[in-house]
Amino acid sequence: MGREVESAKVFGIETPEPRYLTPFNPRQIPHFFTDILIVGAGLGGLRAALAVDPRLNVLITCKDGREGSNSWHAQGGIAAVLDPEDDLENHVRDTLEAGGGLCDEVVVRSVIYEGPERIRELMAWGAQFDRAGDRLALGREGGHSHNRIVHANGDATGREVVRVLYDRVRQQPNVDVWEDTFTLDLLTWEGRCRGAMVWNHRHGRTLVWAKQTILASGGCGQLYRETTNPETATGDGMAMAFRAGAELRDLEFMQFHPTVLYIAGSARHLITEAMRGEGARLVDRHGHRFMFDYDPRGELAPRDVVSSAIVAQMEKTRHPCVYLDLTHLDAAQIRARFPGITKICEEFRLDLSRDRIPVRPGAHYMMGGVTVDLEGRTTVPGLWAAGEVTSSGLHGANRLASNSLLEALVYGRRAGQGASREALEMPDQYTVLPLANPTTPAPHEPLDLVDIRNSLKSLMWRSMGVRRVGDKMREALEDMERWCSYALLRQFTHPQGWELQNMLTIARLMVRAAIQREESRGCHYRLDFPEPKPDWQNRRITFRRSDS
């Protein structure tokens, strides 16, 4: 079963930023009281809301609408054992192998064994997954030994699942959703989370007091110049949890999706791994099918292997990308299986039946985040978390394809149930706690926030990309510390500034973690330490504020 993990090396961070991003006085801004506050309306947050006892009031806040989350944009599908020829232990074994020795086996087993039930639940609620005759059409992606990926509308699984959950949430009379609402900070008092401060255009800043709070705010892919993530993925939940004193871990492990559309003028659209599962081949500029030069599993090797191989082949051929070749496959079947990708490619005059798709890696999924236990509890009482914002132990050093939506469903339900159970035991108290954050003098010199943001994203891509080197990361950290020294101390009045502060907070923690891990493991690959080290297999790098 599980294995012991060596006590984590905890780095207390001397932070120049204040505890809260913006000034507030509880006598001067509105208040809102709820039983459960959920930050985020992706898969984890929506599933958490549906797990809450109907006697409790729930408020969901999200930066955008339901279409703004990573969950909505997910293409490939959800991994679960639903084929009689597959079994749960195969899925466990594949997950552990992909995770590079850092998975928590107890967590892996608990999530995977619960997976089929969560899929059947979605189907009972109305999710329309693709079928082959009277059976589910199950795909295969990199690292999986069997076909076990359920998908919807070809390459729009996230959209279908979020639609079903969002519609169901909207039918619950005890749940309210505040869209276009930015959550700035978690409120803490006497070591417990008491809710959060939020902002929107309708009523400005509001203190939301909650008996229990659930973070389901997603990842931080927007830290990188090349990314598959939507604009909302700026690490806000991780940063606010850090400021509130929660433990974060495994931040060196950002997974890079191997195949991101690379066309000048185009957004960096994800080209789902399921396309390789259907037989697409990776070739270089000369037409050479190169993946078998790097791994016997070829295009279906785990994502860290494929991403590293692509970067190596790009360097070898001195070309800015490689190509996905589908010209040997049945064109009608490919168009039917991947209608979304077909449409995107057609907009750039690419015909999948005769043209190769230019691709290269891009930041895709953060394995690290807020530390949670099996039930979704963080290290701060009253605060729970689910989904990409967390480090649950499921993914280890490299996420197995399509395990992320599964994790969001499982941990969303667990966090919702746990928070609900504890909230039911707490009496109603409509009391405003004496929290405040004073106004600091405003600097005279304005900041070009777009310039800093773009500089940070480029710096992260150069120093914290698929391949890393200690000297470059240390130089990058010096730049980030300098930006933090003046940007984190400012008190902005708009989301653009708050997002930048959150991005800087998480970026420098990621770099510090990557510098400390002097080995290569999973998606953390260092050219100066190219091999895994046995003494690092059971070690986790964790962070907490030194003043928490």
Side-chain angles (χ1 to χ4, degrees), residues 59-242:
L59 173 63
I60 301 175
T61 64
C62 54
K63 288 169 66 173
D64 203 340
R66 68 176 183 175
E67 300 179 11
S69 68
N70 263 334
S71 299
W72 176 267
H73 293 274
Q75 294 179 350
I78 309 173
V81 175
L82 298 164
D83 188 334
E85 297 182 4
D86 194 5
D87 66 56
L88 294 164
E89 286 302 310
N90 288 333
H91 194 178
V92 169
R93 187 164 49 250
D94 293 343
T95 300
L96 294 174
E97 182 176 347
L102 273 190
C103 295
D104 184 325
E105 190 170 339
V106 172
V107 172
V108 171
R109 289 183 182 279
S110 72
V111 172
I112 286 171
Y113 273 69
E114 190 176 325
E117 183 181 353
R118 299 281 72 79
I119 298 299
R120 287 190 285 268
E121 180 180 68
L122 287 174
M123 294 170 64
W125 288 347
Q128 300 295 314
F129 293 115
D130 296 338
R131 306 187 74 86
D134 60 350
R135 302 176 63 181
L136 287 170
L138 300 175
R140 184 182 300 191
E141 298 178 0
H144 288 276
S145 58
H146 292 74
N147 286 22
R148 63 170 70 102
I149 314 299
V150 296
H151 48 82
N153 301 315
D155 52 7
T157 307
R159 185 172 303 187
E160 171 65 8
V161 176
V162 170
R163 177 194 66 80
V164 168
L165 293 185
Y166 195 88
D167 290 349
R168 192 172 184 86
V169 162
R170 281 302 202 181
Q171 296 169 13
Q172 309 305 310
N174 66 318
V175 181
D176 195 8
V177 181
W178 289 3
E179 295 185 345
D180 301 315
T181 298
F182 193 100
T183 302
L184 289 97
D185 268 307
L186 299 169
L187 304 173
T188 53
W189 180 255
E190 296 180 343
R192 290 187 62 87
C193 182
R194 310 288 180 162
M197 178 165 56
V198 306
W199 174 93
N200 60 39
H201 287 287
R202 296 184 298 277
H203 45 68
R205 289 168 298 163
T206 300
L207 295 178
V208 178
W209 303 97
K211 296 178 181 178
Q212 302 289 317
T213 301
I214 302 172
L215 271 182
S217 53
C220 56
Q222 279 295 321
L223 285 171
Y224 287 84
R225 188 187 71 212
E226 304 289 336
T227 181
T228 65
N229 285 199
E231 291 292 327
T232 56
T234 51
D236 305 317
M238 297 176 194
M240 72 177 77
F242 177 69

Side-chain angles (χ1 to χ4, degrees), residues 408-428:
L409 288 169
V410 170
Y411 270 87
R413 175 176 173 270
R414 292 178 183 178
Q417 287 182 331
S420 176
R421 183 174 59 250
E422 295 200 7
L424 283 170
E425 297 176 355
M426 301 174 67
D428 290 337

Side-chain angles (χ1 to χ4, degrees), residues 313-544:
Q313 200 68 15
M314 286 162 53
E315 292 175 351
K316 185 180 297 185
T317 59
R318 298 183 179 182
H319 197 61
C321 64
V322 296
Y323 299 88
L324 267 178
D325 187 355
L326 298 89
T327 57
H328 58 288
L329 302 175
D330 183 272
Q333 289 184 4
I334 290 299
R335 292 191 182 99
R337 175 69 174 83
F338 305 105
I341 295 172
T342 298
K343 182 178 179 181
I344 291 168
C345 289
E346 286 175 348
E347 291 180 6
F348 292 93
R349 302 296 187 266
L350 288 175
D351 183 341
L352 298 185
S353 67
R354 56 182 176 81
D355 297 319
R356 298 180 302 188
I357 306 174
V359 294
R360 62 182 292 172
H364 184 56
Y365 189 91
M366 167 56 82
M367 266 73 68
V370 183
T371 304
V372 294
D373 67 10
L374 268 171
E375 303 304 316
R377 294 182 186 86
T378 74
T379 58
V380 175
L383 179 64
W384 309 71
E388 190 176 355
V389 72
T390 71
S391 172
S392 69
L394 173 64
H395 305 304
N398 183 51
R399 175 179 67 100
L400 182 65
S402 289
N403 269 358
S404 52
L405 294 184
L406 176 63
E407 179 192 40
L409 288 169
V410 170
Y411 270 87
R413 175 176 173 270
R414 292 178 183 178
Q417 287 182 331
S420 176
R421 183 174 59 250
E422 295 200 7
L424 283 170
E425 297 176 355
M426 301 174 67
D428 290 337
Q429 288 185 341
Y430 302 105
T431 303
V432 174
L433 296 169
L435 293 172
N437 190 43
T439 302
T440 60
H444 295 294
E445 183 65 26
L447 291 181
D448 187 337
L449 301 183
V450 173
D451 183 52
I452 299 175
R453 181 169 177 148
N454 289 339
S455 297
L456 175 64
K457 289 161 67 79
S458 294
L459 183 62
M460 286 291 288
W461 184 247
R462 295 194 305 270
S463 64
M464 284 284 290
V466 176
R467 295 184 165 194
R468 303 167 178 179
V469 180
D471 289 344
K472 287 186 177 180
M473 290 191 293
R474 282 185 282 271
E475 291 174 4
L477 184 59
E478 290 180 7
D479 289 338
M480 291 180 194
E481 295 286 6
R482 186 167 55 253
W483 297 336
C484 288
S485 69
Y486 55 81
L488 295 184
L489 292 173
R490 302 219 176 184
Q491 293 179 330
F492 296 102
T493 59
H494 49 81
Q496 186 183 37
W498 302 326
E499 283 186 339
L500 175 63
Q501 290 174 317
N502 290 332
M503 293 170 72
L504 286 169
T505 296
I506 298 304
R508 70 171 177 176
L509 294 182
M510 290 173 63
V511 176
R512 289 187 179 197
I515 291 171
Q516 290 292 333
R517 185 172 286 276
E518 294 183 336
E519 65 156 359
S520 291
R521 185 176 299 277
C523 58
H524 172 66
Y525 182 74
R526 289 189 58 164
L527 291 171
D528 47 351
F529 295 99
E531 300 297 327
K533 293 182 178 180
D535 61 326
W536 271 101
Q537 180 164 337
N538 295 330
R539 297 169 67 183
R540 316 296 279 267
I541 298 172
T542 68
F543 295 96
R544 281 188 182 177

